[in-house]
Amino acid sequence: MDNLIIEPGAIGTIKIGMSKDEVEACIQEYARKYQKEYHTRNYFKNVFRVISVA
């Protein structure tokens, strides 16, 4: 996995002063590289199940 570099004015590839579109492109690139099909997007929904007991 790549290192997360936090510098004054930037975190990873997102830097202060970037436009909204540039930030979105960075986020999409991160998701493309690191988000896998088997990663859950809603932890509590998939881990905890509520059942009713009558």
Side-chain angles (χ1 to χ4, degrees):
M1 181 176 281
D2 296 340
N3 292 330
L4 175 62
I5 301 169
I6 301 175
E7 299 173 349
I11 298 177
T13 57
I14 298 175
K15 298 183 180 6
I16 291 177
M18 294 177 91
S19 70
K20 183 178 178 181
D21 292 333
E22 291 171 320
V23 171
E24 286 293 326
C26 290
I27 292 170
Q28 288 177 5
E29 178 65 20
Y30 173 83
R32 186 188 64 72
K33 283 177 81 173
Y34 300 110
Q35 186 68 34
K36 305 297 181 204
E37 291 178 9
Y38 53 84
H39 290 165
T40 182
R41 292 185 183 267
N42 188 338
Y43 178 78
F44 290 101
K45 178 182 175 186
N46 293 320
V47 173
F48 298 103
R49 300 192 186 265
V50 178
I51 58 172
S52 61
V53 179

